[in-house]
């Protein structure tokens, strides 16, 4: 990836995440009950965030497997779409002609420092070569909707059941 492309992606991610960061600076009076447990009002938004993030990444993975560039693009936050348009079908892009996705599975969803972090395991074939890679998607809320704000190599290990 070229230096200029990295800068564009970095600026796009920062701009996409700025509203989330500013929202986090607000005064949160519902941090939990006196005994330290989370209140019901906190659990509902957290569950919605996990569900919506999973849905966005699942839709992206399905678009990837179906080689539907437009459907993949529609899952991304607006600032990332221009970079996606130039890179998605390039030689190393997610939707490159010589890649075939045989398996794509979400392995973990959790709250991260820049939004919801959705880890996925993707098995890709290029000719006779097959490789499985871990990807980490960052999903944020923009207004009333959710979108993918970033994609990077790696991912989180699955959390044990019942772990927040």
């Amino acid at each position: 990836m070229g230096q200029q492309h990295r800068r564009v992606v970095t600026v796009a991610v920062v701009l996409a995440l700025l509203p989330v960061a500013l929202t986090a600076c607000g005064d949160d009076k519902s941090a939990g009950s006196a005994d330290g447990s989370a209140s019901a009002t906190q659990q509902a938004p957290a569950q919605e965030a996990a569900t919506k993030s999973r849905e966005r990444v699942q839709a992206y993975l399905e678009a990837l497997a179906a080689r539907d560039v437009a459907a993949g693009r529609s899952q991304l936050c607006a600032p990332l779409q221009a970079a996606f348009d130039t890179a998605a079908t390039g030689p190393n892009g997610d939707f490159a002609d010589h890649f075939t996705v045989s398996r794509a599975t979400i392995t973990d969803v959790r709250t991260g420092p820049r939004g919801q972090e959705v880890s996925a395991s993707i098995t890709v074939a290029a000719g006779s070569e097959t490789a499985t890679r871990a990807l980490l998607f960052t999903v944020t809320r923009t207004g009333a909707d959710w979108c993918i704000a970033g994609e990077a190599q790696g991912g989180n290990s699955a959390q044990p059941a019942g772990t927040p």
Side-chain angles (χ1 to χ4, degrees):
M1 182 172 2
Q3 185 67 20
Q4 184 176 7
H5 184 265
R6 284 189 196 122
R7 284 189 204 130
V8 169
V9 171
T10 301
V11 169
V13 170
V14 168
L15 290 175
L17 297 177
L18 186 58
V20 174
L22 292 176
T23 302
C25 292
D27 184 16
D28 185 7
K29 303 257 189 237
S30 63
S33 64
D35 67 358
S37 63
S39 67
T41 58
Q42 277 187 302
Q43 289 177 359
Q47 289 172 343
E48 176 191 16
T51 300
K52 295 295 185 177
S53 297
R54 179 181 285 277
E55 289 171 358
R56 280 296 179 180
V57 172
Q58 185 63 45
Y60 184 84
L61 296 175
E62 289 170 4
L64 187 59
R67 308 193 47 71
D68 186 342
V69 176
R73 182 184 196 276
S74 70
Q75 304 310 313
L76 302 176
C77 297
L80 292 183
Q81 291 178 353
F84 175 84
D85 291 343
T86 53
T89 57
N92 293 314
D94 287 354
F95 292 82
D97 288 337
H98 59 281
F99 290 144
T100 303
V101 176
S102 59
R103 185 169 172 259
T105 307
I106 293 175
T107 58
D108 185 62
V109 180
R110 67 177 72 177
T111 301
R114 292 179 286 279
Q116 293 294 307
E117 294 180 346
V118 181
S119 299
S121 173
I122 300 176
T123 302
V124 179
S128 62
E129 300 289 321
T130 301
T132 300
R133 298 286 183 252
L135 292 177
L136 180 64
F137 294 91
T138 302
V139 181
T140 61
R141 186 175 191 153
T142 56
D145 206 3
W146 294 82
C147 60
I148 297 172
E151 173 186 340
Q153 293 274 337
N156 295 317
S157 300
Q159 291 182 328
T163 304

